[in-house]
């Protein structure tokens, strides 16, 4: 890892609490005010340096930002628009596991059983579909973790993946995904399939 590699962490609540754990994992990290995203760093991309950002959301914050449109709304100030405009690669890190009541509504666990998420009008199915839409149509890479410790482990692994090897040094990139077909391809299609689009 280059000596100047580090993770920049937004200094506001929701990000800065992970600073000590990231440092304990052996990664240089510093606080700053980020315009968008909770974490960012520079890595080795396909065409040289690449900017990588991670937006971290707990389940209640995720639900609130989806319902309000703060994350994915049509407003250019929505988080998704700003993230995609500012960075080359963007992850949404969803921290926490959700549970449902007998009607499929999202709930949180408490000492006295489960309670509805405050202000939540979303089912677990609706949340899952919203996350799929963010991946497929929004261009975000979604990663879910069960705890803060798992979030730190993912951030550290992601940082190391991007900074320790060149883009072409990752073995899985050596064999492009060809996909599956139901019918056997013609000889012509077999010949042109490896060509770039």
């Amino acid at each position: 890892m280059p000596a100047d590699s580090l993770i920049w962490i937004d200094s506001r609540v929701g990000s800065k609490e992970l600073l000590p754990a990231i440092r304990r994992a052996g990664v240089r990290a510093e606080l700053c005010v980020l315009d968008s995203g909770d974490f960012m760093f520079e890595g080795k991309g396909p065409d040289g340096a690449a900017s990588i950002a991670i937006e971290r959301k707990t389940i209640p914050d995720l639900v609130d930002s989806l319902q309000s449109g703060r994350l994915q709304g049509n407003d250019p100030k929505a988080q998704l628009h700003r993230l995609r405009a500012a960075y080359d690669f963007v992850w949404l890190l969803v921290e926490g596991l959700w549970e449902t009541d007998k009607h499929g509504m999202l709930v949180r666990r408490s000492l006295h059983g489960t309670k509805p998420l405050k202000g939540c009008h979303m089912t677990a199915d609706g949340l899952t579909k919203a996350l799929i839409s963010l991946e497929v149509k929004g261009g975000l890479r979604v990663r879910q973790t069960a705890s803060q410790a798992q979030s730190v482990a993912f951030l550290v692994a992601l940082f190391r993946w991007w900074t320790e090897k060149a883009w072409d040094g990752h073995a899985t990139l050596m064999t492009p995904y060809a996909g599956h077909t139901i019918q056997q391809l013609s000889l012509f299609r077999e010949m042109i399939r490896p060509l770039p689009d």
Side-chain angles (χ1 to χ4, degrees), residues 30-168:
E30 297 293 334
L31 294 177
C32 68
V33 176
L34 295 174
D35 290 334
S36 57
D38 292 305
F39 309 90
M40 75 81 57
F41 57 87
E42 192 171 277
K44 299 171 185 173
D47 300 314
S51 58
I52 293 90
I54 301 94
E55 176 70 24
R56 174 183 174 234
K57 293 204 176 290
T58 61
I59 300 298
D61 184 34
L62 174 63
V63 169
D64 180 61
S65 64
L66 286 169
Q67 289 182 158
S68 69
R70 189 175 80 235
L71 176 61
Q72 81 296 355
N74 289 326
D75 184 346
K77 294 179 184 176
Q79 290 174 314
L80 176 58
H81 293 289
R82 289 181 306 155
L83 286 162
R84 290 186 56 205
Y87 301 104
D88 297 314
F89 297 89
V90 181
W91 268 263
L92 173 63
L93 178 58
V94 179
E95 186 175 296
L97 303 176
W98 60 80
E99 296 186 41
T100 60
D101 64 13
K102 62 183 178 182
H103 305 292
M105 298 302 292
L106 293 168
V107 296
R108 65 179 175 83
R109 183 150 304 281
S110 72
L111 295 173
H112 308 290
T114 58
K115 293 184 177 181
L117 288 177
K118 186 177 180 183
C120 176
H121 308 291
M122 188 176 279
T123 64
D125 182 62
L127 179 56
T128 300
K129 288 191 273 190
L131 290 174
I132 291 168
S133 292
L134 288 171
E135 282 185 299
V136 175
K137 300 204 75 174
L140 285 178
R141 292 155 176 87
V142 178
R143 176 68 175 225
Q144 187 172 2
T145 61
S147 65
Q148 192 175 84
Q150 285 185 3
S151 293
V152 169
F154 172 71
L155 288 167
V156 168
L158 185 67
F159 174 76
R160 289 182 175 150
W161 189 93
W162 281 98
T163 59
E164 290 179 347
K165 288 184 181 181
W167 178 264
D168 290 338

